[in-house]
Amino acid sequence: MNAPAALPPPWTVSAERFDSPEAWDLLREYYTEVADRYYELHEGRRSTAAEIEQGLAEYPSGRLAPPHGVLLVARYGGVAAGCAGVRLLDARTAELKQVFLRTARRGLGGAGGLLAAAETAAAGMGAERIRLDTRLDLVEAVALYRRHGYQEIAPYHDDPYSEIFFEKRIAPESGSERGTETSVRAGSRTGQGTPGGERRG
């Protein structure tokens, strides 16, 4: 993969526990944004606190923990600004989940760096391809994935909130998973549950 372009100050991306306070705050913001957009489009309202809590309660957090998953947190100038989850669907297929950047940090190149870090993490777990699902109304996410080489594929599950599916081939690394912190000199998102919820199964 090509190295992201340099930006001052640098972004950093590190693997973190899904239940850390910063990670949980980011996940809550992610769920709130995508749920609000769904309900505003289809019902002319915003999501309720109960709907957000339901989505968070059903979040399969254990799947974003080693050895078969990871949650990455991106920081801008040392402050948490976004996240992305990666989990293995099988020995050679990873899935990208909850790609999100806080509004104030969008348009600064962090999305590409976060995607690159997620792809590196997937390769480190032995994956040869990475897949994702999202909604068509999340037009920024769809554009981001297309721009970074993701190709549309047939659905690989039947979640009613998933409307478009993507895949990208990556080069697996020899050996087992790697840790850690990736410097990114150069940040959009992807449901049976609430529209902002994670697909179970």
Side-chain angles (χ1 to χ4, degrees):
M1 285 173 284
N2 295 328
L7 282 180
W11 288 83
T12 60
V13 179
S14 59
E16 300 202 8
R17 288 182 57 91
F18 60 83
D19 56 356
S20 73
E22 287 182 321
W24 204 241
D25 285 346
L26 288 165
L27 290 171
R28 180 181 294 278
E29 290 180 42
Y30 160 82
Y31 274 103
T32 301
E33 179 173 340
V34 296
D36 279 352
R37 288 178 64 161
Y38 177 88
Y39 286 120
E40 287 171 348
L41 178 64
H42 295 283
E43 300 183 16
R45 66 175 179 88
R46 303 188 68 164
S47 57
T48 66
E51 287 164 339
I52 298 303
E53 292 305 318
Q54 178 187 351
L56 289 169
E58 294 171 345
Y59 183 71
S61 52
R63 298 183 183 224
L64 297 184
H68 303 303
V70 66
L71 180 68
L72 303 173
V73 172
R75 288 182 171 77
Y76 186 85
V79 179
C83 61
V86 180
R87 64 181 183 181
L88 286 179
L89 297 178
D90 59 49
R92 294 291 178 241
T93 308
E95 186 175 40
L96 184 63
K97 305 302 297 181
Q98 281 80 36
V99 180
F100 172 74
L101 277 183
R102 286 176 166 151
T103 303
R105 296 307 180 200
R106 295 175 189 173
L108 301 176
L114 193 53
L115 279 183
E119 292 162 9
T120 298
M125 290 186 276
E128 297 177 348
R129 57 186 170 266
I130 187 165
R131 291 178 170 178
L132 63 94
D133 63 78
T134 190
R135 300 197 321 251
L136 290 171
D137 65 294
L138 301 177
V139 293
E140 305 92 338
V142 172
L144 173 71
Y145 300 132
R146 292 191 192 280
R147 188 164 66 248
H148 287 273
Y150 286 78
Q151 303 295 318
E152 188 173 349
I153 60 171
Y156 59 91
H157 62 75
D158 60 357
D159 187 323
Y161 294 112
S162 299
E163 298 173 319
I164 189 168
F165 299 77
F166 290 98
E167 179 178 287
K168 182 177 181 178
R169 303 292 297 188
I170 56 177
E173 295 186 354
S174 58
S176 57
E177 65 193 89
R178 302 171 298 118
T180 303
E181 179 161 320
T182 304
S183 291
V184 183
R185 313 269 189 201
S188 252
R189 347 171 229 266
T190 142
Q192 216 136 13
T194 65
E198 169 84 12
R199 177 174 55 87
R200 263 80 69 202

